[in-house]
Amino acid sequence: MSNYKLFSDSSCDLPEDYVTQYHIGIIPYSVSLGDEIYYKEIVELKPEDFYQKIAEKDVFPKTSLPSIQDYIDMFTPTLEAGKDIICLCLSSKFSGSFQSALNAKQILLETYAQKIEIIDSCQATGGQGLLLYEMAQMQSAGYGFEKVVSEAKRLRDTAKINFTVESLEYLQKGGRIGKASALAGTILNIKPIITMWHGELSPVGKVRGFQKAVKTMIDMTQKEIGAEAEKYQLCVLSAENMEKAIELKQILQQTTSFDLLEIPFQVGVTIGAHAGPTALGICYIKKFAE
């Protein structure tokens, strides 16, 4: 058994089966739904309930990052057990979660002698989750603390998400696109192709119709890593409609040689609050070298 424990904030969206299998600690974000009450992601509000509530209430949710105290409370039992900690956080360009964890680390090091490493994933949702999955694979393979940290920092630069949304409403409300663009997209059935890479969210194109958007995402992924497909781990992700994720996974299995994780990722509360319930995407990362 290794002498360190893996943690991540909840924006990683790693499926619960993997979290349980690898004994990963998750520090939740919180969300409010048009009132002053904040619900902790996963702990108090599951993604499926979140999407149902925002549809029923017709509200634009607000998220809140884990506090310094949240990190201290989660880390302390592991430190008291004599174990080191490696924690992965949402891209620091999106959130202050990384800084919150760093502040918690400095406070805890005044009391505990164990090592604590906080890593900026430079990613979100499935990209962050795949990096966490690779870290768990390394831990299972017997990699030590320092090796996992160095490999994680190398691998994060290979992670990318190619995704689309059926509705531009949430991206517009979150300030990612203008109101005029959102309106034009609705009228003309224009779907954006968006990437998450090196900590940056970037629109890279737009097509007419959702099926064309799906085909474009697949073609992009094939072009980017198809020649070295065996070196990459992939997953599909969806927000509210997980049937679409399963359908996308089946298409990829039938038309490519990609190594896909069995369980699709569901975009959780943290990222879903900004991307909306219709997000669908393909994520990949280079596998660690055994």
Side-chain angles (χ1 to χ4, degrees), residues 32-201:
S32 69
L33 300 164
D35 50 37
E36 296 303 314
I37 300 172
Y38 276 81
Y39 304 91
K40 287 188 180 296
E41 180 175 13
I42 303 171
V43 178
E44 298 174 336
L45 189 63
K46 301 288 186 184
E48 54 269 25
D49 298 325
F50 165 71
Y51 291 118
Q52 182 177 344
K53 285 181 181 293
I54 61 173
E56 291 173 350
K57 293 190 175 187
D58 191 27
V59 296
F60 183 64
K62 296 179 181 179
T63 56
S64 176
L65 56 85
S67 68
I68 296 171
Q69 191 61 50
D70 288 336
Y71 278 107
I72 290 173
D73 291 344
M74 285 294 293
F75 290 168
T76 298
T78 298
L79 296 171
E80 289 184 343
K83 289 194 171 188
D84 300 326
I85 286 171
I86 305 174
C87 181
L88 191 64
C89 295
L90 173 63
S91 171
S92 59
K93 294 182 180 181
F94 284 3
S95 167
S97 177
F98 174 66
Q99 187 60 52
S100 188
L102 282 177
N103 291 341
K105 168 186 172 177
Q106 295 307 314
I107 293 170
L108 288 166
L109 288 179
E110 294 176 4
T111 304
Y112 299 96
Q114 282 79 16
K115 292 180 287 189
I116 305 173
E117 183 74 27
I118 312 298
I119 299 175
D120 182 348
S121 72
C122 300
Q123 268 291 335
T125 188
Q128 181 181 346
L130 281 179
L131 178 55
L132 183 61
Y133 178 83
E134 288 300 306
M135 291 165 66
Q137 294 292 297
M138 286 186 265
Q139 185 181 37
S140 295
Y143 278 40
F145 182 96
E146 301 296 344
K147 184 66 172 176
V148 170
V149 169
S150 63
E151 278 293 285
K153 291 180 179 180
R154 181 182 69 85
L155 291 176
R156 68 183 173 185
D157 292 334
T158 71
K160 189 181 181 190
I161 307 174
N162 296 323
F163 75 100
T164 189
V165 291
E166 288 194 62
S167 169
L168 296 167
E169 177 185 11
Y170 282 80
L171 289 171
Q172 184 266 314
K173 286 181 177 178
R176 296 296 177 184
I177 61 170
K179 191 171 184 179
S181 295
L183 179 61
T186 301
I187 295 172
L188 300 173
N189 195 24
I190 298 297
K191 308 304 176 191
I193 307 299
I194 306 166
T195 66
M196 174 67 186
W197 196 32
H198 292 172
E200 299 285 353
L201 194 65

Side-chain angles (χ1 to χ4, degrees), residues 12-15 18 125-130 160-162 221 232-238 245 248-249 252 258-266 281-285:
C12 66
D13 295 335
L14 189 68
Y18 298 131
T125 188
Q128 181 181 346
L130 281 179
K160 189 181 181 190
I161 307 174
N162 296 323
T221 306
Y232 285 83
Q233 182 67 65
L234 287 85
C235 72
V236 296
L237 62 81
S238 183
L248 176 57
K249 180 186 167 193
L252 288 167
F258 293 145
D259 185 1
L260 289 155
L261 285 182
E262 185 62 30
I263 305 173
F265 284 44
Q266 182 165 28
I282 303 168
C283 315
Y284 63 77
I285 192 170

